[in-house]
């Protein structure tokens, strides 16, 4: 994780010195640990070369989970149908394998993903090109989320421009980036 974060910071810091604009989209995948389907996690394990026996063992372990809710003297048992166990050592690995398959990493776009944040970063010389590239990457992320039955939390999503260009009032001109 530290290497990916270091690469992101290096790209953000380098862009203005090369007279480029950097645009970062910081996304929160809504309920990533709670909502990821078992098949999505197991398919990611298979694509990353895990042995069939290990994949099957993990799937059986995930599918066998039960939650018990008690109020006064009444208890109810519920089978858990998706998600990773919270606090489990395997959960971050499973999520990272799933989110690692989020497409959109191209030569001029950088993708940083971990258990807490997904950052899409586009860099270029021209505002229209950067905003167009970011729109394409965000659309690709939206298609991926739909495919794996997850969603992005819009309240926790931020778009940040990294540039030395300012408007006459000294603040970033979002219209120049095509973000209005």
């Amino acid at each position: 994780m530290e290497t990916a974060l270091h690469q992101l910071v290096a790209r953000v810091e380098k862009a203005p010195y090369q007279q480029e604009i950097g645009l970062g989209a910081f996304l929160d995948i809504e309920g990533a640990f709670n909502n990821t389907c078992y098949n999505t996690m197991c398919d990611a394990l298979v694509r990353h070369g895990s042995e069939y026996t290990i994949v099957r063992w993990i799937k059986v372990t995930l599918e066998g989970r039960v939650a018990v809710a008690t109020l006064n003297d009444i208890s109810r048992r519920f089978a858990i149908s998706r998600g990773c166990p919270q606090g489990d050592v395997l959960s971050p690995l499973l999520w990272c394998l799933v989110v690692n398959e989020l497409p959109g990493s191209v030569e001029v776009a950088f993708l940083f993903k971990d258990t807490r944040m997904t950052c899409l970063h586009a860099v270029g010389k021209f505002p229209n090109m950067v905003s167009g590239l970011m729109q394409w990457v965000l659309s690709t992320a939206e298609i991926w989320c739909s495919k794996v039955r997850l969603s992005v939390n819009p309240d926790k999503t931020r778009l940040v421009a990294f540039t030395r260009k300012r408007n006459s009032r000294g603040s970033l001109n979002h219209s120049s980036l095509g973000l209005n």
Side-chain angles (χ1 to χ4, degrees), residues 51-62:
E51 296 287 331
Y52 172 78
T53 305
I54 293 171
V55 174
R56 184 72 191 129
W57 176 79
I58 290 171
K59 186 171 184 176
V60 168
T61 302
L62 291 170

Side-chain angles (χ1 to χ4, degrees), residues 30-67:
E30 200 162 33
F33 279 89
N34 295 332
N35 297 324
T36 305
C37 296
Y38 299 147
N39 287 338
T40 301
M41 290 183 271
C42 291
D43 291 347
L45 281 164
V46 169
R47 282 190 292 277
H48 284 85
S50 296
E51 296 287 331
Y52 172 78
T53 305
I54 293 171
V55 174
R56 184 72 191 129
W57 176 79
I58 290 171
K59 186 171 184 176
V60 168
T61 302
L62 291 170
E63 289 175 339
R65 295 182 305 135
V66 175

Side-chain angles (χ1 to χ4, degrees), residues 138-155:
L138 288 170
S139 295
T140 303
E142 183 180 25
I143 292 167
W144 175 83
C145 282
S146 178
K147 177 183 164 192
V148 296
R149 298 192 330 225
L150 294 170
S151 61
V152 173
N153 183 341
D155 295 331

Side-chain angles (χ1 to χ4, degrees), residues 48 76 80 83 94 97 102 116 131-132 150 172:
H48 284 85
R76 297 280 187 243
I80 307 297
L94 291 173
L97 290 175
L102 173 63
R116 292 169 297 284
S131 64
L150 294 170
L172 182 64

Side-chain angles (χ1 to χ4, degrees), residues 29 32 36 40 44 48 92-103 111-119 144-145 148 150:
I29 306 295
T36 305
T40 301
H48 284 85
L93 172 65
L94 291 173
W95 171 245
C96 286
L97 290 175
V98 169
V99 77
N100 191 50
E101 296 179 343
L102 173 63
L111 200 52
F112 167 72
K113 302 167 280 198
D114 79 351
T115 58
R116 292 169 297 284
M117 171 184 56
T118 300
C119 177
W144 175 83
C145 282
V148 296
L150 294 170

